Amino acid sequence: MNPTDVRNPDYFHKVVDCQWACPAHTNVPEYIRMVAQGRYDDAYMLNRDSNVFPGILGRTCDRPCEPACRRTRIEEKPVAICRIKRVAADNRGDISARLPKAPAQKLGKRIACIGAGPASLTVANDLVPLGYDVVVFEKNALPGGLMRTNVPSFRLPAKVLDEEIAMIVDMGVEVRYGAPVTSMKALLNQGFDAVFVGSGAPRGKDLELPGRKEAAAHIFIGIDWLESVAFEHIHQIGERVLIIGVGNTAMDCCRTARRIGGKDVKVMARRPRPYFKASPWELDDAEEEQVEILVNHVPTKFVVEKGKLKGMEFERVEWSEDAAGKQISRTIDTVFIPADDVIVAIGQENAFPWIERDVGIEFGKYDLPKVDEKTMQSTRPGVFFGGDSAWGPKNIIWAVAHGHDAAISIDNHCRGVSVAKRPGPEVKLITQKMGLAEWSYSNDYSTAKRAKMKHVDLQERFKRISTEVEMGFDAEQTQREVERCLNCDVQTVFTDKRCIECDACVDVCPTGCLTITQNGEEPELRNRLTVPAANPTQEIFVSGGLPQTGRVMVKDEDVCVHCGLCAERCPTAAWDMARLDLTILKAGQNGCTSSR
Amino acid sequence: MPSPKPNVVHPHLRPNQIGLTIRDYEGSMSTLCAGCGHDSVTAAIVRSFYELSTPPHLIAKLSGIGCSSKTPTYFVGGAHGFNSAHGRMPSIATGANAANRALTYIGISGDGDSLSIGIGQLVHAIRRNVDMLYIIENNGVYGLTKGQFSASADIGSKSKRGEVNRFGPIDPVSLALDLGATFVARSFSGDKEQLVPILKAALSHKGFALVDVISPCVTFNDHEGSTKSYLYTRKHLLQLISADFVPFAQEISVEYAPGTATSVRLHDGSVVRLRKVAADYDPTDRQGVADHLELHRHRGEIATGLLFVDKQASDMHDTNKTTDVPLAQLPYEKLCPGSAKLDELQKTFR
Ligand SMILES: Cc1cc2nc3c(=O)[nH]c(=O)nc-3n(C[C@H](O)[C@H](O)[C@H](O)COP(=O)(O)OP(=O)(O)OC[C@H]3O[C@@H](n4cnc5c(N)ncnc54)[C@H](O)[C@@H]3O)c2cc1C
Ligand SMILES: Cc1ncc(C[n+]2csc(CCOP(=O)(O)OP(=O)(O)O)c2C)c(N)n1
Ligand code: SF4
Ligand code: SF4
Ligand code: SF4
Ligand SMILES: [Mg+2]
């Protein structure tokens, strides 16, 4: 194999799987260490730089980082990354002095954002400090998008939402509430220098079955119903509630129903559990609140008697695989389940009735706009999309990531620079050596198991819909949890010229990551290692020829626990532990890639 | 303080026949200098015991004084151990073996511990053919006392400060061969592919097995002008014979060209296959081996491999006709039958 080029920023970045998996590339291990040291303000600001809403996301993030966490390669559960983010947000002091500000001298460029959801807010957050005038058009009376209207307050308190949105709006964003954009053409004629569409995927799918019209008064579309509850237009629901669908929206619907009158709440799923769309923790939380989840029930009709909803009929089915491997169902029987109200939560769609089809914005499959994946630009230069509006429903952290990308493009567009020109990441490798066997990070391995989130007890939480269920980690839980992080950003960096092939590093490595051997072709070499490198998705490191024998040092990064022992036992400092500081640059930041 | 070794196990580590992983054969974290050859020998010992599936509680580790003699702490934490006075490990080992022949004995010594203060002890352990593995971690210096030349330093070899050694070396391999040792090998800490099979064979051998391991002292004897440095050893090493260890009851699948390999079946049924690198080399011919050693010494080469093996000889217990039951397990009445029996015995000498 050719020697690994560790100057390619991706090589070490991929070792920090959490940061790599985060759409906004939040520097997870660094903020975890800051929390460990009680530096909550620093941890909060580091988060905010990447993900803008640490307090909101510390409660609601979809956490793609956690399944990616390397801890799962050596034990069952990942580090509770998201919960530690919340610890930083909950414990921070007054950080107002550290927030970005609008400059006194403005650029004289005006940007329109449609919708005040997380995508638009991120665009404003990035552009206002550069001197842009950002105007946000929002059809509702309050900002936040689905975070306000759909994420229930028992998961995300209004105070947290208000605070973090205010940090952006108070920089000097002009938000026009109650101002739906009804014509793109008209907006384009207002002379904005660029337009960002962050209007979300606002239409909930309906369930067209017999009886739908007759029983309309007791059938609700999930996202609309949640919005009505959030804006206090709806205060109650019947005792027996059926929720159709088993995604995250369904989970919020059933739990909300339990708080405003629902006693017997059933979530009806077509498929067995492994196919559920809802995150496992959402399912757990719903079941904790005595919501019943019924699998393999396919809805067939709304049963209406004398114009009143009585319940629903379902086919009970069995699933199997056909010859082509496709899942097919077989009906067992038909059952009737009584209900007072039904909530349909089977997905969301995009809808752009207000974008005229002759303004140069092309639409493609599923009537979605054609948007460039890197630049977020539509087919009309100067019009950008992001968040759920671009490719359909995703989540908050993706909306933020899109917002950052769109802001870079808007800044380029306004400066006459090609939107395709993106700043590279800023990369630094900083040695962690403090002295003999002394490291500036906690290199000891903790055997602690993942801390469990404490919940407000059931009776208490049902008293008020806005009572937050999750209590956050206490000091002791935080202390243990931060030590579970393997510090994957502290990289093992090898200098082949220095190695005397004493084997000390190979011998000491607790997880058998290292091998000194003759070079070879990858598949064969992988098999010859101290412990064969069985994970094909993990690149292996191969050094140049070693001075004494010409053999190579090979490292399988797969289960390295970043304990630093290889570097500690190396007599010549051929191994070093160096922290990878990788910052994804945002609008207005100039890239430069440097090595140690 | 060195960092502790993380309490984490690679998920793909395979347990051996008695259900232990290689990490179960480790000891506490080494306090030797980083890069010391002795740590590599430790790692080779850990691997050997793991692969042989030796139960830790049936192992006894013995040593004298020196950096090398500190190393039993760093392997098989669950074994018995005794750290004796400087150079006195052979007699402690002899006594322990006499009392409990059921254990596997491994003695770790240094060139200082064995060839200076302890040489009188070493030669008698060889002479008695005590059933043990005796490793000399040979670095040409007294590492622990900061690098004085030892009795294995070569003439002309330079110390770190530049002074030249003028006394001739004692070669433990020639010494052992001459005294009738039944298993004699030399290896290098930096070559586990050679060292591990040798150690496994030595542990399976019945009788005294001496393994001289060139084990560089990275702090006091790894400079230019040293003849026991990593670089010098790599440049002058000559593998005379290579050993493959095949445990008992395992198929011998490798085929060798006729005349190039010899199999030696050890006491416990395992087999060592010795592949000759030098065509005229016979590892069972004591005189021939001695001649070879002399020749390579002359050429300035370090001859390595499982150099000599004799599986016929009887060990100390055979010679003494000791009971098969370890003395330590005999009931007290049998071990010490009382003064009446003693009188009876004495009468037979009158
Ligand atoms: C029930 C539910 C629960 C969820 N829970 C989570 C969660 O826990 N974690 C998570 O990460 N994600 C969650 N999501 C998804 C997440 O809320 C969205 O992916 C995210 O809010 C999308 O952000 P956005 O900025 O693209 O759009 P949105 O948040 O949808 O914001 C769009 C805004 O645009 C406004 N708007 C729309 N059209 C116009 C117009 N023509 N003119 C003016 N204004 C307009 C809307 O009023 C709205 O305020 C959930 C979604 C739902 C439905
Ligand atoms: C009776 C006695 N004499 C002298 C010493 C000092 N001393 C300690 S270690 C040592 C030599 C160790 O050399 P070696 O056996 O080669 O071990 P190394 O440290 O090189 O591995 C000496 C002379 C001692 N501890 N006890
Ligand atoms: S830091 Fe070094 S010694 Fe520790 S697990 Fe990783 S490679 Fe092994
Ligand atoms: S410890 Fe250092 S010198 Fe020794 S083999 Fe490892 S990298 Fe090379
Ligand atoms: S002084 Fe020499 S022999 Fe002793 S631990 Fe250090 S390197 Fe090893
Ligand atoms: Mg020595």
Side-chain angles (χ1 to χ4, degrees), chain A residues 494 499-505 516 553 569-572 574-575:
Chain A
F494 188 66
C499 177
I500 58 168
E501 297 169 63
C502 68
D503 273 3
C505 54
I516 299 178
M553 175 70 77
R569 297 304 294 164
C570 178
T572 63
W575 281 115

Side-chain angles (χ1 to χ4, degrees), chain A residues 73-74 437 439 443-445 447 500-504 507-508 510-511 531 534 548-549 551 559 561 563 565 568-571, chain B residues 1-13 23 29-30 32-35 39-40 43 189 192 218 222 230-231 234:
Chain A
R73 300 186 190 189
I74 44 169
W439 302 100
N443 64 325
D444 197 3
Y445 177 83
T447 52
I500 58 168
E501 297 169 63
C502 68
D503 273 3
D507 294 337
V508 81
T511 46
V531 180
Q548 292 197 6
T549 65
R551 295 179 297 170
V559 288
V561 293
C563 64
L565 285 179
E568 199 165 308
R569 297 304 294 164
C570 178
Chain B
M1 269 297 280
S3 302
K5 216 167 170 176
N7 186 4
V8 55
V9 181
H10 192 296
H12 302 319
L13 275 194
R23 298 221 47 202
M29 185 69 181
S30 171
L32 300 185
C33 304
D39 282 335
S40 285
S189 66
K192 288 201 198 62
V218 70
D222 196 39
Y230 282 106
L231 189 59
R234 286 201 167 98

Side-chain angles (χ1 to χ4, degrees), chain A residues 381-400:
Chain A
V383 176
F384 303 86
F385 284 75
D388 290 357
S389 77
W391 296 289
K394 285 199 167 166
N395 54 36
I396 301 168
I397 190 65
W398 271 112
V400 169

Side-chain angles (χ1 to χ4, degrees), chain A residues 309-322:
Chain A
L309 180 76
K310 287 279 159 200
M312 280 185 82
E313 213 170 79
F314 295 86
E315 280 179 353
R316 286 202 312 131
V317 297
E318 224 175 33
W319 293 90
S320 58
E321 243 174 47
D322 71 3

Side-chain angles (χ1 to χ4, degrees), chain A residues 492 508-511 513-514 555 559-566 577:
Chain A
T492 53
V508 81
C509 177
T511 46
C513 301
L514 306 177
K555 183 186 178 204
V559 288
C560 173
V561 293
H562 303 267
C563 64
L565 285 179
C566 48
M577 303 305 291

